[in-house]
Amino acid sequence: MPYEPPPYLAELTLAQIAEQVAQRKLPPVEGWAPQKSGDSQMRIAADGTWYHEGDPIRRPAMVRAFSGLLTRDESGQHWLVTPFEKLTIEVEDAAFIAVDCTRTEGDLAFRLNTDDLVIAGPDHALRVAGDPDTPAIYLHARRGCEARLNRSTYTQLAEIALETGGDDWIVSSQGALFSLRG
């Protein structure tokens, strides 16, 4: 069956976005206890490009498949987990890139570079890092992994903050408040 990317984010209602999120069937890596561990020879660059043995992975379907196996532990180490092995993966900045943002019915929805949709809220918090010269905003995506907002998505979120929170640079989603000031 060919892959059908989700529709343009701004055209969806919150209920449609929530349905898209629910339809994404991720492998149940939390329930797996692999006995073997090692190094995947993989790296996720700061721009979101995935590499294996130094070469970029050019097939988006492969990146989407691997991203469903990705976790990050309490120490910050990222892992690819299968039922049989747990492999380290180097992540230069964040595991994902948030490439689009919209405010729908009062909540904030983001599209990731893997076409996953995430609704910000208590379980998917926004975090500000960096400094005034190089600010960065991160969104908790899943399993300890974060998405860094790219420049255009950062701009979209800043415009939403100005529209809804004025000079306070505060946004809300699913009852949670997030300050966009570092």
Side-chain angles (χ1 to χ4, degrees):
M1 175 166 48
Y3 173 70
E4 190 75 31
Y8 183 62
L9 196 55
E11 297 173 355
L12 299 174
T13 66
L14 189 59
Q16 290 169 321
I17 293 169
E19 183 180 333
Q20 291 276 335
V21 170
Q23 286 178 2
R24 172 80 155 111
K25 302 287 189 253
L26 293 171
V29 300
E30 298 85 357
W32 296 340
Q35 299 301 307
K36 182 180 172 188
S37 64
D39 183 8
S40 69
Q41 306 282 318
M42 294 176 73
R43 172 175 66 91
I44 303 173
D47 69 358
T49 303
W50 286 58
Y51 291 87
H52 182 253
E53 296 180 348
D55 294 323
I57 299 174
R58 301 192 192 286
R59 294 180 51 205
M62 291 296 293
V63 170
R64 278 191 300 277
F66 285 130
S67 75
L69 301 172
L70 193 61
T71 67
R72 187 176 80 176
D73 64 23
E74 301 81 31
S75 72
Q77 175 63 58
H78 288 82
W79 299 89
L80 288 174
V81 181
T82 72
F84 307 103
E85 58 188 350
K86 182 177 179 179
L87 304 172
T88 60
I89 180 170
E90 178 187 344
V91 177
E92 290 180 0
D93 185 9
F96 305 103
I97 304 293
V99 296
D100 193 15
C101 171
T102 189
R103 184 170 178 84
T104 304
E105 300 172 35
D107 290 327
L108 298 168
F110 295 84
R111 179 188 305 277
L112 307 184
N113 59 324
T114 54
D115 279 338
D116 289 297
L117 301 179
V118 178
I119 301 170
D123 294 332
H124 300 284
L126 289 165
R127 175 178 71 84
V128 176
D131 56 53
D133 293 330
T134 54
I137 298 180
Y138 296 87
L139 170 69
H140 177 266
R142 63 174 173 264
R143 300 176 179 148
C145 297
E146 292 182 311
R148 183 175 178 159
L149 277 61
N150 68 8
R151 183 179 301 255
S152 63
T153 307
Y154 182 99
T155 301
Q156 288 173 307
L157 187 60
E159 289 172 358
I160 291 168
L162 287 173
E163 289 172 11
T164 61
D167 293 335
D168 291 332
W169 286 83
I170 293 176
V171 293
S172 65
S173 187
Q174 294 191 329
L177 293 175
F178 304 104
S179 173
L180 303 185
R181 293 181 192 256

Coordinates of all heavy atoms in Angstrom, one line a residue, residues 5-67:
P5 N 0.7 10.8 2.7 CA 1.0 11.8 3.7 C -0.2 12.5 4.2 O -1.2 12.6 3.5 CB 2.0 12.8 3.1 CG 1.7 12.6 1.6 CD 1.2 11.2 1.4
P6 N -0.2 12.9 5.5 CA -1.4 13.6 6.0 C -1.6 14.9 5.3 O -0.7 15.5 4.7 CB -1.0 13.9 7.5 CG 0.3 13.4 7.7 CD 0.8 12.8 6.5
P7 N -2.9 15.4 5.2 CA -3.2 16.6 4.5 C -2.5 17.8 5.2 O -1.9 17.7 6.3 CB -4.7 16.8 4.7 CG -5.2 15.6 5.5 CD -4.0 14.8 5.9
Y8 N -2.5 18.9 4.5 CA -1.9 20.2 5.0 C -2.5 20.5 6.3 O -3.7 20.5 6.5 CB -2.2 21.3 4.0 CG -1.6 22.6 4.3 CD1 -0.2 22.7 4.4 CD2 -2.3 23.7 4.5 CE1 0.4 24.0 4.7 CE2 -1.8 24.9 4.9 CZ -0.4 25.1 5.0 OH 0.1 26.3 5.3
L9 N -1.6 20.8 7.3 CA -2.0 20.9 8.7 C -3.1 22.0 8.9 O -4.0 21.8 9.7 CB -0.7 21.3 9.5 CG -0.8 21.1 11.0 CD1 -1.2 19.8 11.4 CD2 0.6 21.5 11.6
A10 N -3.0 23.2 8.3 CA -3.9 24.3 8.5 C -5.3 23.9 8.0 O -6.3 24.6 8.4 CB -3.4 25.5 7.8
E11 N -5.4 22.9 7.2 CA -6.8 22.6 6.6 C -7.5 21.6 7.6 O -8.7 21.3 7.3 CB -6.6 21.9 5.3 CG -6.0 22.9 4.2 CD -5.7 22.2 2.9 OE1 -5.9 21.0 2.8 OE2 -5.4 22.9 2.0
L12 N -6.9 21.1 8.6 CA -7.5 20.1 9.5 C -8.1 20.7 10.7 O -7.6 21.7 11.3 CB -6.4 19.1 9.9 CG -5.8 18.3 8.8 CD1 -4.6 17.4 9.4 CD2 -6.8 17.4 8.1
T13 N -9.2 20.2 11.2 CA -9.8 20.6 12.5 C -9.0 19.8 13.6 O -8.2 18.9 13.3 CB -11.2 20.1 12.6 OG1 -11.3 18.7 12.6 CG2 -12.1 20.7 11.5
L14 N -9.1 20.2 14.8 CA -8.4 19.6 15.9 C -8.8 18.1 16.0 O -8.0 17.3 16.2 CB -8.7 20.3 17.2 CG -7.9 19.9 18.4 CD1 -6.4 20.0 18.1 CD2 -8.3 20.6 19.7
A15 N -10.1 17.8 15.8 CA -10.5 16.4 15.8 C -9.9 15.6 14.7 O -9.5 14.5 15.0 CB -12.1 16.4 15.7
Q16 N -9.7 16.2 13.5 CA -9.0 15.5 12.5 C -7.6 15.3 12.8 O -7.0 14.2 12.5 CB -9.2 16.2 11.1 CG -10.6 16.2 10.6 CD -10.8 17.2 9.5 OE1 -10.3 18.3 9.5 NE2 -11.6 16.8 8.5
I17 N -6.9 16.3 13.4 CA -5.5 16.1 13.8 C -5.4 15.0 14.8 O -4.5 14.1 14.7 CB -5.0 17.4 14.3 CG1 -4.9 18.5 13.1 CG2 -3.6 17.2 14.9 CD1 -4.6 19.9 13.6
A18 N -6.3 15.0 15.8 CA -6.3 14.0 16.9 C -6.5 12.6 16.2 O -5.8 11.6 16.7 CB -7.3 14.3 17.9
E19 N -7.3 12.5 15.2 CA -7.6 11.2 14.6 C -6.3 10.8 13.8 O -6.0 9.6 13.9 CB -8.7 11.4 13.6 CG -9.1 10.1 12.9 CD -10.3 10.2 11.9 OE1 -11.1 11.1 12.2 OE2 -10.3 9.5 11.0
Q20 N -5.6 11.7 13.2 CA -4.4 11.4 12.5 C -3.3 10.8 13.5 O -2.6 9.9 13.2 CB -3.8 12.6 11.7 CG -4.7 13.0 10.5 CD -4.3 12.3 9.3 OE1 -3.2 11.7 9.1 NE2 -5.3 12.2 8.4
V21 N -3.3 11.5 14.6 CA -2.3 11.1 15.6 C -2.6 9.7 16.1 O -1.8 8.8 16.2 CB -2.3 12.1 16.8 CG1 -1.5 11.5 18.0 CG2 -1.7 13.4 16.4
A22 N -3.9 9.4 16.4 CA -4.3 8.1 16.9 C -4.1 7.0 15.8 O -3.9 5.8 16.2 CB -5.8 8.2 17.3
Q23 N -4.2 7.3 14.6 CA -4.0 6.3 13.5 C -2.6 5.9 13.3 O -2.3 4.8 12.8 CB -4.6 6.9 12.2 CG -6.1 6.9 12.1 CD -6.6 7.5 10.8 OE1 -5.8 7.8 9.9 NE2 -7.9 7.6 10.6
R24 N -1.6 6.7 13.8 CA -0.2 6.3 13.6 C 0.1 5.2 14.6 O 0.0 5.3 15.8 CB 0.7 7.5 14.0 CG 2.1 7.3 14.1 CD 2.8 7.2 12.7 NE 4.2 7.6 12.8 CZ 5.2 6.7 12.6 NH1 4.9 5.4 12.3 NH2 6.4 7.0 12.7
K25 N 0.3 4.0 14.0 CA 0.5 2.8 14.8 C 2.0 2.7 15.0 O 2.8 2.3 14.1 CB 0.0 1.6 14.1 CG -1.5 1.7 13.8 CD -2.3 1.5 15.1 CE -3.8 1.3 14.8 NZ -4.6 2.5 15.1
L26 N 2.5 3.0 16.2 CA 3.9 2.9 16.5 C 4.2 1.5 17.1 O 3.4 1.0 17.9 CB 4.3 4.0 17.5 CG 4.3 5.4 16.9 CD1 4.5 6.4 18.1 CD2 5.4 5.6 15.8
P27 N 5.4 0.9 16.8 CA 5.7 -0.3 17.5 C 5.8 -0.2 19.0 O 6.2 0.9 19.5 CB 7.1 -0.6 16.9 CG 7.2 0.2 15.7 CD 6.4 1.4 15.9
P28 N 5.4 -1.2 19.7 CA 5.3 -1.1 21.2 C 6.7 -1.3 21.8 O 6.9 -2.3 22.6 CB 4.3 -2.2 21.6 CG 4.6 -3.3 20.5 CD 4.8 -2.5 19.2
V29 N 7.6 -0.4 21.5 CA 9.0 -0.6 22.0 C 9.1 -0.6 23.5 O 10.0 -1.2 24.0 CB 10.0 0.4 21.4 CG1 10.0 0.3 19.9 CG2 9.7 1.8 21.8
E30 N 8.2 0.0 24.2 CA 8.3 0.1 25.7 C 8.1 -1.3 26.3 O 8.6 -1.6 27.4 CB 7.2 1.0 26.2 CG 7.2 2.4 25.8 CD 6.6 2.7 24.5 OE1 6.1 1.8 23.8 OE2 6.6 3.9 24.1
G31 N 7.4 -2.2 25.6 CA 7.2 -3.6 26.1 C 8.3 -4.6 25.7 O 8.3 -5.7 26.1
W32 N 9.2 -4.1 24.9 CA 10.3 -5.0 24.4 C 11.5 -5.0 25.4 O 11.8 -4.0 25.9 CB 10.8 -4.7 23.0 CG 9.7 -4.8 22.0 CD1 8.6 -5.6 22.0 CD2 9.7 -4.2 20.7 NE1 7.8 -5.5 20.9 CE2 8.5 -4.6 20.0 CE3 10.5 -3.3 20.0 CZ2 8.1 -4.2 18.8 CZ3 10.1 -2.9 18.8 CH2 9.0 -3.3 18.1
A33 N 12.1 -6.1 25.5 CA 13.3 -6.2 26.4 C 14.4 -6.9 25.6 O 14.8 -8.1 25.9 CB 13.0 -7.0 27.7
P34 N 15.0 -6.3 24.7 CA 16.1 -6.9 23.9 C 17.3 -7.3 24.7 O 17.7 -6.5 25.6 CB 16.4 -5.9 22.8 CG 16.0 -4.6 23.3 CD 14.8 -4.9 24.3
Q35 N 17.9 -8.4 24.4 CA 19.0 -8.9 25.2 C 20.4 -8.4 24.6 O 21.4 -8.3 25.3 CB 19.1 -10.4 25.3 CG 17.8 -11.0 25.9 CD 17.7 -10.5 27.4 OE1 18.6 -10.6 28.2 NE2 16.5 -9.9 27.7
K36 N 20.3 -8.0 23.3 CA 21.6 -7.6 22.6 C 21.6 -6.1 22.5 O 20.5 -5.5 22.2 CB 21.6 -8.3 21.3 CG 22.8 -8.0 20.5 CD 22.8 -8.8 19.1 CE 23.9 -8.3 18.2 NZ 23.8 -8.8 16.9
S37 N 22.7 -5.5 22.6 CA 22.9 -4.1 22.4 C 24.1 -3.8 21.6 O 25.0 -4.6 21.5 CB 22.9 -3.3 23.7 OG 24.0 -3.6 24.4
G38 N 24.1 -2.6 20.9 CA 25.3 -2.3 20.1 C 25.1 -0.9 19.5 O 24.3 -0.1 20.0
D39 N 25.8 -0.6 18.4 CA 25.8 0.7 17.8 C 25.1 0.5 16.4 O 25.5 -0.4 15.6 CB 27.2 1.2 17.6 CG 27.3 2.6 17.0 OD1 26.2 3.2 16.8 OD2 28.4 3.0 16.7
S40 N 24.2 1.4 16.1 CA 23.5 1.3 14.8 C 24.3 1.8 13.6 O 23.9 1.6 12.5 CB 22.2 2.1 14.9 OG 22.4 3.5 15.0
Q41 N 25.4 2.5 13.9 CA 26.1 3.2 12.8 C 25.3 4.3 12.2 O 25.5 4.6 11.0 CB 26.6 2.2 11.8 CG 27.4 1.0 12.3 CD 28.9 1.4 12.6 OE1 29.5 2.1 11.9 NE2 29.4 1.0 13.8
M42 N 24.3 4.8 12.9 CA 23.4 5.8 12.4 C 23.6 7.1 13.1 O 24.0 7.1 14.3 CB 22.0 5.3 12.4 CG 21.7 4.1 11.5 SD 20.0 3.5 11.7 CE 19.1 4.7 10.9
R43 N 23.2 8.2 12.4 CA 23.3 9.5 13.0 C 22.2 10.4 12.5 O 21.8 10.2 11.3 CB 24.6 10.1 12.6 CG 24.8 11.6 13.0 CD 26.2 12.1 12.7 NE 26.5 12.1 11.2 CZ 26.3 13.1 10.4 NH1 25.8 14.2 10.9 NH2 26.6 13.0 9.1
I44 N 21.6 11.2 13.3 CA 20.6 12.2 12.9 C 21.3 13.5 13.0 O 21.6 14.0 14.1 CB 19.3 12.2 13.7 CG1 18.7 10.8 13.7 CG2 18.3 13.2 13.2 CD1 17.5 10.6 14.6
A45 N 21.5 14.2 11.9 CA 22.1 15.5 11.8 C 21.2 16.6 12.4 O 20.0 16.4 12.5 CB 22.6 15.9 10.4
A46 N 21.8 17.7 12.7 CA 21.0 18.8 13.3 C 19.9 19.3 12.4 O 18.9 19.8 12.8 CB 21.9 20.0 13.7
D47 N 20.1 19.1 11.0 CA 19.1 19.5 10.1 C 18.0 18.5 9.9 O 17.1 18.6 9.0 CB 19.7 19.9 8.7 CG 20.3 18.7 8.0 OD1 20.3 17.6 8.5 OD2 20.8 18.9 6.9
G48 N 18.0 17.4 10.6 CA 17.0 16.3 10.5 C 17.4 15.2 9.5 O 16.6 14.2 9.4
T49 N 18.5 15.3 8.8 CA 18.9 14.2 7.9 C 19.4 13.0 8.7 O 20.2 13.2 9.6 CB 20.0 14.8 6.9 OG1 19.5 15.9 6.3 CG2 20.4 13.7 5.9
W50 N 18.9 11.9 8.3 CA 19.4 10.6 8.9 C 20.5 10.0 8.0 O 20.4 10.0 6.8 CB 18.2 9.6 8.9 CG 17.2 9.9 9.9 CD1 16.5 11.0 10.1 CD2 16.8 9.0 11.0 NE1 15.6 10.9 11.2 CE2 15.8 9.7 11.7 CE3 17.1 7.7 11.3 CZ2 15.1 9.1 12.8 CZ3 16.5 7.1 12.4 CH2 15.5 7.8 13.2
Y51 N 21.5 9.5 8.7 CA 22.7 8.9 8.0 C 22.9 7.5 8.5 O 22.7 7.2 9.7 CB 24.0 9.7 8.3 CG 24.0 11.1 7.6 CD1 23.4 12.2 8.3 CD2 24.6 11.3 6.4 CE1 23.4 13.4 7.7 CE2 24.6 12.5 5.8 CZ 24.0 13.6 6.5 OH 24.0 14.8 5.9
H52 N 23.4 6.6 7.6 CA 23.8 5.3 8.0 C 25.2 5.1 7.4 O 25.4 5.2 6.2 CB 22.9 4.2 7.5 CG 23.3 2.8 7.9 ND1 23.8 1.9 7.1 CD2 23.3 2.2 9.2 CE1 24.1 0.8 7.7 NE2 23.8 1.0 9.0
E53 N 26.2 4.7 8.3 CA 27.6 4.6 7.9 C 28.1 5.7 7.1 O 28.8 5.5 6.1 CB 27.7 3.2 7.2 CG 27.4 2.0 8.1 CD 27.6 0.7 7.4 OE1 27.7 0.6 6.1 OE2 27.6 -0.3 8.1
G54 N 27.6 6.9 7.4 CA 28.1 8.2 6.8 C 27.3 8.6 5.6 O 27.5 9.7 5.1
D55 N 26.5 7.8 5.0 CA 25.7 8.1 3.9 C 24.2 8.5 4.3 O 23.6 7.8 5.1 CB 25.6 7.0 2.9 CG 27.0 6.7 2.3 OD1 27.7 7.6 2.0 OD2 27.3 5.5 2.1
P56 N 23.7 9.5 3.6 CA 22.3 9.9 4.0 C 21.3 8.8 3.6 O 21.5 8.1 2.6 CB 22.0 11.2 3.1 CG 23.2 11.3 2.2 CD 24.3 10.4 2.6
I57 N 20.3 8.6 4.4 CA 19.2 7.7 4.1 C 18.3 8.5 3.2 O 17.6 9.5 3.7 CB 18.5 7.2 5.3 CG1 19.5 6.4 6.2 CG2 17.3 6.3 5.0 CD1 19.0 5.9 7.5
R58 N 18.1 8.1 2.0 CA 17.4 8.9 1.0 C 15.9 8.5 0.9 O 15.1 9.3 0.3 CB 18.0 8.8 -0.4 CG 19.5 9.3 -0.4 CD 20.0 9.4 -1.8 NE 21.5 9.6 -1.8 CZ 22.1 10.7 -1.4 NH1 21.4 11.7 -1.0 NH2 23.4 10.8 -1.4
R59 N 15.5 7.4 1.4 CA 14.1 7.0 1.3 C 13.3 7.4 2.6 O 13.6 7.0 3.7 CB 14.1 5.4 1.2 CG 14.7 5.0 -0.1 CD 14.6 3.5 -0.3 NE 13.3 3.0 0.0 CZ 13.1 1.7 0.3 NH1 14.1 0.9 0.5 NH2 11.8 1.3 0.5
P60 N 12.4 8.4 2.4 CA 11.6 8.9 3.5 C 10.9 7.7 4.2 O 10.7 7.8 5.5 CB 10.6 9.8 2.9 CG 11.3 10.3 1.6 CD 12.1 9.1 1.1
A61 N 10.5 6.7 3.6 CA 9.8 5.6 4.2 C 10.7 4.9 5.2 O 10.3 4.5 6.3 CB 9.3 4.6 3.2
M62 N 12.0 4.8 4.9 CA 12.9 4.2 5.8 C 13.1 5.0 7.1 O 13.2 4.5 8.2 CB 14.3 4.0 5.1 CG 14.3 2.9 4.1 SD 13.9 1.2 4.7 CE 15.3 0.9 5.7
V63 N 13.2 6.4 6.9 CA 13.3 7.3 8.0 C 12.1 7.2 8.9 O 12.2 7.1 10.1 CB 13.6 8.7 7.5 CG1 13.5 9.7 8.7 CG2 14.9 8.8 6.8
R64 N 10.9 7.2 8.3 CA 9.7 7.0 9.1 C 9.7 5.7 9.8 O 9.3 5.7 11.0 CB 8.4 7.1 8.2 CG 8.0 8.5 7.8 CD 6.7 8.6 7.2 NE 6.6 7.8 5.9 CZ 7.0 8.3 4.7 NH1 7.5 9.5 4.6 NH2 6.9 7.5 3.7
A65 N 10.1 4.6 9.2 CA 10.1 3.3 9.9 C 11.1 3.4 11.1 O 10.8 2.9 12.2 CB 10.5 2.2 8.9
F66 N 12.3 3.8 10.8 CA 13.3 3.9 11.9 C 12.8 4.8 13.0 O 13.0 4.6 14.2 CB 14.7 4.4 11.4 CG 15.4 3.3 10.7 CD1 16.0 3.6 9.4 CD2 15.6 2.0 11.2 CE1 16.7 2.7 8.7 CE2 16.3 1.1 10.5 CZ 16.9 1.4 9.2
S67 N 12.2 6.0 12.7 CA 11.8 6.9 13.7 C 10.7 6.3 14.6 O 10.7 6.7 15.8 CB 11.2 8.2 13.0 OG 9.9 8.0 12.5

